[in-house]
């Protein structure tokens, strides 16, 4: 096995270093899974191996294989994740009052950007000869992992909170996973999955504790950097919703890498958005000590009470000169409707949360109206139609007669 470009796994708390060829999830010096590890690279090796054209033609995230922590001889398990469009959004820009672009990551193979990470996790597990892979999830990570496990021929066992949306429970079942719907919260499902990993030795893809799989999320940053090169402009802000905080941290790391390697001339500020009912990262970033571990929001993908990656997320916000803020569930639902009706992009609530964040950031003077903003839609709307219905008016229920239509729209002669 060779990963010449990976130098070490470094503890984000105490700085201890571990051998990347061993399967270590977290630094044993700290209680529980607190000691999150960070993958460190030799960028000379990466630069030598990365010779792709930054021409905006991105078939999948494996264009950036030189950056990914998999062995040279590992066969990627892929469904062409990544390579998502960065759309101009003139109608949305006008509605918001600021130039806005949409990175549409809801178009990934299972309908969510987590596919970027699942592809790495299953590739590594398969290459290491594992045949059972597991994770805990608010829903999307489970659906995503199940799809990639099926693709890679691995068994998948997943832990989700019992109240996850129906669509997100149906998806992993179709992909053939064993779905364990835990009678409890996401945080409880998470703890159970970690306990089970220790007991059975299954390969655990949990975003925060598995230091490798989160590295796939860097590719959204690589793509945004490449797409900035093609557009000739780096956005002032890139906006993500935050649950565990891995996504915004990964995206920042990816963008920063391209900047440090000289591929792009500037970096954006990262704006992290959480729901009022699940605000732990925001509270930590603003050093509020009155935080609780409640997770009460309609945006189930970011309903995380005890985020596992608060440290990495806060570093991304800090290093980029960014900010964090909170939005209400009503604002999230409004944003879902706004994004859909202005641009034809249908996001689940957590995917529309960045749009709500931009509105708040403008109102609070965090974002200026002459700046450029990228909102990342992280998940596709059809995963959760029940919450969408709360954002929209009902269908017009009519009898099958012309008169009924005329009653609504008037007669054609009018
Ligand atoms: C998981 C998820 C998030 C949050 O990502 P974290 O890495 O947990 O911060 C946001 N949106 C969607 C659609 C997700 O599935
Ligand atoms: Zn440590």
């Amino acid at each position: 096995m060779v990963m010449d470009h990976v130098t070490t796994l470094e503890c984000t708390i105490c700085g201890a270093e571990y051998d990347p060829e061993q399967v270590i999830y977290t630094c044993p010096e700290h209680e529980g899974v607190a000691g999150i590890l960070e993958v460190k690279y030799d960028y000379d090796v990466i630069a030598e191996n990365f010779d792709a054209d930054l021409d905006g033609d991105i078939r999948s995230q494996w264009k950036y294989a030189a950056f990914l922590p998999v062995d040279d001889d590992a066969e990627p398990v892929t469904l062409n994740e990544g390579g998502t469009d960065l759309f101009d959004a003139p109608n949305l820009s006008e509605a918001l009052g600021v130039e806005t672009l949409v990175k549409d990551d809801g178009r990934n193979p299972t309908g969510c950007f987590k596919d970027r990470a699942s592809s790495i996790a299953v590739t590594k597990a398969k290459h290491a000869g594992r045949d059972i892979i597991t994770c805990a999830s608010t829903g999307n990570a489970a659906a995503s992992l199940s799809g990639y496990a099926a693709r890679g021929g691995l068994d998948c066992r997943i832990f989700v909170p019992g109240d996850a949306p129906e669509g997100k429970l149906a998806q992993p079942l179709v992909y053939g996973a064993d779905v364990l719907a835990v009678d409890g919260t996401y945080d409880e499902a998470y703890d159970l999955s970690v306990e089970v990993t220790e007991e059975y030795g299954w390969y655990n893809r949990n975003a925060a504790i598995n230091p490798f799989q989160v590295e796939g999320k860097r590719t959204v940053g690589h793509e945004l950097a490449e797409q900035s090169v093609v557009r000739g402009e780096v956005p002032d802000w890139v906006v993500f919703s935050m649950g565990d905080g891995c996504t915004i941290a990964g995206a920042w790391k990816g963008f920063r890498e391209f900047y440090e390697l000289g591929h792009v001339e500037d970096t954006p500020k990262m704006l992290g958005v959480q729901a009022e009912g699940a605000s732990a990262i925001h509270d930590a970033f603003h050093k509020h000590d009155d935080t609780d571990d409640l997770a009460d929001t309609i945006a189930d993908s970011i309903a995380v009470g005890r985020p596992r990656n608060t440290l990495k997320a806060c570093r991304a916000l800090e290093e980029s000169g960014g900010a964090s803020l909170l939005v209400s569930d009503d604002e999230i639902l409004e944003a879902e409707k706004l994004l859909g009706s202005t641009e034809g992009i249908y996001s689940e609530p957590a995917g529309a949360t960045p749009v709500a964040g931009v509105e708040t950031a403008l109102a609070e003077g965090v974002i200026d109206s002459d700046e450029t903003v990228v909102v990342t839609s992280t998940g596709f709307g059809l995963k959760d139609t029940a919450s969408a219905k709360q954002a929209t008016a009902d269908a017009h229920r009519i009898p099958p007669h012309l008169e009924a239509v005329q009653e609504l729209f008037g007669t054609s002669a009018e």
Side-chain angles (χ1 to χ4, degrees):
M1 298 204 202
V2 236
M3 284 200 297
D4 286 345
H5 59 306
V6 178
T7 53
T8 185
L9 299 178
E10 187 185 280
C11 175
T12 50
I13 297 178
C14 71
E17 295 185 356
Y18 297 93
D19 179 356
E21 301 292 342
Q22 285 171 275
V23 177
I24 293 174
Y25 292 109
T26 50
C27 177
E29 299 301 315
H30 316 279
E31 202 167 310
V33 294
I36 306 292
L37 299 176
E38 166 99 39
V39 184
K40 294 285 179 181
Y41 298 91
D42 181 335
Y43 286 101
D44 291 336
V45 176
I46 288 179
E48 215 163 276
N49 293 333
F50 183 64
D51 58 4
D53 285 335
L54 299 184
D55 56 3
D57 184 11
I58 310 166
R59 182 162 163 71
S60 86
Q61 69 171 356
W62 291 90
K63 180 170 186 177
Y64 312 107
F67 289 83
L68 299 175
V70 295
D71 288 10
D72 299 345
D73 59 343
E75 185 68 34
V77 177
T78 179
L79 290 160
N80 284 346
E81 53 291 333
T84 57
D85 288 295
L86 177 63
F87 287 116
D88 286 328
N91 307 321
L92 178 65
S93 299
E94 195 180 318
L96 292 173
V98 66
E99 190 188 346
T100 307
L101 306 165
V102 183
K103 178 73 170 159
D104 191 8
D105 250 46
R107 291 185 172 208
N108 271 298
T110 77
C112 168
F113 76 86
K114 286 189 170 71
D115 293 346
R116 297 174 184 274
S118 297
S119 173
I120 305 295
V122 175
T123 297
K124 285 189 78 71
K126 188 171 182 183
H127 189 67
R130 303 302 197 89
D131 42 30
I132 301 175
I133 190 162
T134 185
C135 80
S137 168
T138 55
N140 281 335
S144 176
L145 185 67
S146 309
Y148 281 82
R151 181 79 170 159
L154 270 60
D155 282 342
C156 185
R157 316 235 160 110
I158 56 178
F159 297 81
V160 294
D163 61 358
E166 271 311 308
K168 294 184 182 178
L169 288 178
Q171 218 181 338
L173 290 168
V174 169
Y175 293 140
D178 289 313
V179 177
L180 303 160
V182 179
D183 187 11
T185 63
Y186 166 63
D187 295 286
E188 289 169 309
Y190 192 99
D191 290 343
L192 180 58
S193 82
V194 172
E195 206 181 322
V196 164
T197 303
E198 281 163 15
E199 175 79 18
Y200 293 94
W202 301 342
Y203 188 87
N204 190 316
R205 165 251 187 263
N206 281 1
I209 68 162
N210 183 321
F212 296 112
Q213 68 83 31
V214 60
E215 296 297 292
K217 295 184 176 179
R218 283 144 73 232
T219 62
V220 75
H222 299 151
E223 286 175 19
L224 283 168
E226 174 164 349
Q227 287 164 329
S228 299
V229 171
V230 172
R231 296 179 64 86
E233 183 193 20
V234 173
D236 295 293
W237 292 92
V238 171
V239 193
F240 280 93
S241 57
M242 302 189 294
D244 270 318
C246 325
T247 303
I248 196 163
W252 167 246
K253 186 173 178 181
F255 207 111
R256 197 194 61 203
E257 288 172 329
F258 267 39
Y259 173 72
E260 286 171 353
L261 287 171
H263 295 312
V264 61
E265 279 175 8
D266 204 354
T267 54
K269 294 170 276 192
M270 307 300 286
L271 176 63
V273 186
Q274 288 197 292
E276 282 172 355
S279 62
I281 298 176
H282 173 80
D283 293 341
F285 188 60
H286 291 270
K287 313 226 167 7
H288 295 168
D289 45 20
D290 59 345
T291 189
D292 51 45
D293 59 10
L294 275 182
D296 180 14
T297 168
I298 192 159
D300 61 289
S301 294
I302 52 170
V304 180
R306 288 184 277 118
R308 265 48 49 165
N309 249 327
T310 301
L311 208 61
K312 280 187 188 175
C314 287
R315 278 182 193 165
L317 299 176
E318 228 167 83
E319 284 176 22
S320 70
S324 78
L325 48 80
L326 303 178
V327 294
S328 70
D329 279 7
D330 284 345
E331 289 165 338
I332 291 171
L333 289 174
E334 279 301 314
E336 180 172 334
K337 174 94 187 301
L338 182 68
L339 181 57
S341 60
T342 53
E343 300 295 347
I345 296 171
Y346 182 16
S347 297
E348 65 164 271
T353 296
V355 174
V358 171
E359 291 189 287
T360 304
L362 283 165
E364 292 181 358
V366 174
I367 293 179
D368 280 336
S369 57
D370 61 357
E371 293 187 298
T372 305
V373 182
V374 171
V375 292
T376 311
S377 167
T378 42
F380 187 45
L382 279 181
K383 282 174 171 274
D384 182 9
T385 50
S387 68
K389 276 195 185 148
Q390 297 184 40
T392 59
D394 240 336
H396 302 286
R397 297 197 178 277
I398 58 165
H401 307 304
L402 179 61
E403 290 78 14
V405 179
Q406 288 172 330
E407 227 168 85
L408 281 171
F409 300 115
T411 58
S412 62
E414 272 173 352

